[in-house]
Amino acid sequence: MRSGVNHTKRKKQTQFAVFWLFRLISILVVCILFLILYFIFSRGMNVISWEFITSQPEDGMTKGGILPAIVGTFYLVLGSVLFAFPVGVLSGIYVNEYAKEGWVKKFIKQMTNNLAGIPSIVFGLFGMSLFVNRLGFQASILAGSLTLGLLALPIVIRTTEEALKAVDSSFRHASYAMGATKIYTIRKVILPIAFPNIITGLILSVSRVSGETAPILFTCAAYFLPKLPESIFDMVMALPYHLYVISTSGTNIEESRPMAYGTAVILVLIVLIANLSAHALRVYFGKKVKMK
């Protein structure tokens, strides 16, 4: 009897210790995030101004603003989304709704996972070889957007697949029982329910591509281009590459360092806004699904 009481006591102590270990690790992760944000914002916020955001860089990027880099990043992210979203969603629908269980489906899923694990600089080399040289797009917004789109593609595919998988099968069976076709069921029943999770994955992929430097290094990024692009075949400045250049190989690194921290603040804010947008859209579309 006494050994049973001791055993129960030890189980409770072990559970209590594991609970606090998990809590401390979670708190540590949050602290690291806030430490990084403090490091960036404490050094960069004094640079942020309306002029910094809306003017061209001057004097070898030691003065002026970062407007071309902000606009260039926006164009690249928009172009990558226009490519990755339809291709990724359609691929995810095929894998989850149409592909039969077997080696073909396993092979596609494994290759998608492998694609997600490829280093971003390899994507850059591939984009330069295919889009810049082979297809003749030259170093341009188009080549950079397609390369970033390839980088985001596995995230969109996997997110779409998991979102569709999470939809209860009873919705499919009910739709088929009423005589609906498979494509109608997917379009009118399954996709609206899965859409909040799909859109969340899309915006999280946007967060990733907006901060990537290696893929655009080979395909579109300009070192110093104090003007806005006029077509998709123009080179462009981008925030990650701009930050890399003025921090490592600018004309006067010490003089441009405050500008580097200011650029980092803008880049972090864009990523934070994208993540908050993902959460807001997930909540909004989740409520719409519940109302239906």
Side-chain angles (χ1 to χ4, degrees):
M1 182 70 179
R2 187 177 178 81
S3 63
V5 173
N6 290 336
H7 180 67
T8 304
K9 188 177 179 180
R10 281 198 299 273
K11 283 178 65 178
K12 288 184 177 178
Q13 288 174 341
T14 303
Q15 184 175 342
F16 182 78
V18 171
F19 167 76
W20 271 102
L21 177 63
F22 288 168
R23 172 173 282 189
L24 287 174
I25 291 174
S26 301
I27 293 173
L28 180 63
V29 171
V30 175
C31 289
I32 292 173
L33 171 63
F34 278 99
L35 185 63
I36 294 173
L37 293 178
Y38 173 75
F39 176 80
I40 298 296
F41 280 77
S42 62
R43 290 164 174 76
M45 282 305 293
N46 58 344
V47 182
I48 303 299
S49 66
W50 182 247
E51 182 184 0
F52 180 72
I53 297 173
T54 59
S55 61
Q56 311 282 354
E58 300 172 359
D59 295 340
M61 295 186 292
T62 58
K63 296 179 181 176
I66 57 172
L67 178 62
I70 295 175
V71 174
T73 302
F74 174 76
Y75 284 162
L76 290 172
V77 171
L78 179 63
S80 67
V81 168
L82 290 176
F83 169 73
F85 187 62
V87 176
V89 170
L90 291 176
S91 299
I93 291 174
Y94 169 76
V95 171
N96 194 72
E97 301 294 329
Y98 287 97
K100 295 179 180 177
E101 294 296 335
W103 71 269
V104 175
K105 184 173 180 177
K106 289 180 181 177
F107 179 76
I108 294 174
K109 294 174 74 170
Q110 189 60 46
M111 288 302 103
T112 305
N113 293 337
N114 291 339
L115 188 65
I118 293 176
S120 58
I121 194 164
V122 177
F123 277 98
L125 286 170
F126 176 77
M128 181 181 68
S129 174
L130 178 63
F131 302 123
V132 176
N133 298 329
R134 178 72 64 177
L135 298 181
F137 296 157
Q138 305 301 320
S140 62
I141 295 174
L142 180 59
S145 297
L146 291 173
T147 306
L148 290 174
L150 290 176
L151 189 68
L153 200 53
I155 303 173
V156 180
I157 293 174
R158 295 296 293 166
T159 305
T160 302
E161 186 189 345
E162 293 300 324
L164 295 173
K165 195 183 296 180
V167 178
D168 197 292
S169 297
S170 61
F171 290 101
R172 295 176 177 84
H173 297 324
S175 180
Y176 297 150
M178 296 180 69
T181 61
K182 189 161 190 172
I183 187 67
Y184 184 89
T185 300
I186 293 172
R187 190 163 58 90
K188 292 292 186 181
V189 180
I190 306 303
L191 276 181
I193 298 174
F195 194 70
N197 290 331
I198 294 175
I199 202 72
T200 301
L202 174 69
I203 296 181
L204 290 178
S205 70
V206 167
S207 300
R208 183 184 176 187
V209 300
S210 61
E212 284 291 343
T213 306
I216 62 176
L217 181 67
F218 298 101
T219 55
C220 64
Y223 172 77
F224 180 65
L225 194 64
K227 66 175 185 177
L228 299 182
E230 297 177 351
S231 81
I232 59 174
F233 297 103
D234 286 346
M235 292 186 70
V236 69
M237 292 183 70
L239 287 171
Y241 186 60
H242 179 72
L243 177 58
Y244 168 75
V245 169
I246 60 177
S247 302
T248 60
S249 55
T251 54
N252 190 331
I253 293 178
E254 288 303 320
E255 192 173 349
S256 61
R257 197 170 299 281
M259 197 177 207
Y261 285 117
T263 304
V265 169
I266 297 297
L267 190 56
V268 170
L269 285 177
I270 289 174
V271 174
L272 289 177
I273 290 171
N275 288 333
L276 291 175
S277 301
H279 178 71
L281 286 172
R282 182 189 177 96
V283 172
Y284 174 73
F285 286 110
K287 286 182 179 177
K288 287 188 70 175
V289 170
K290 287 180 181 177
M291 288 174 66
K292 290 179 179 179

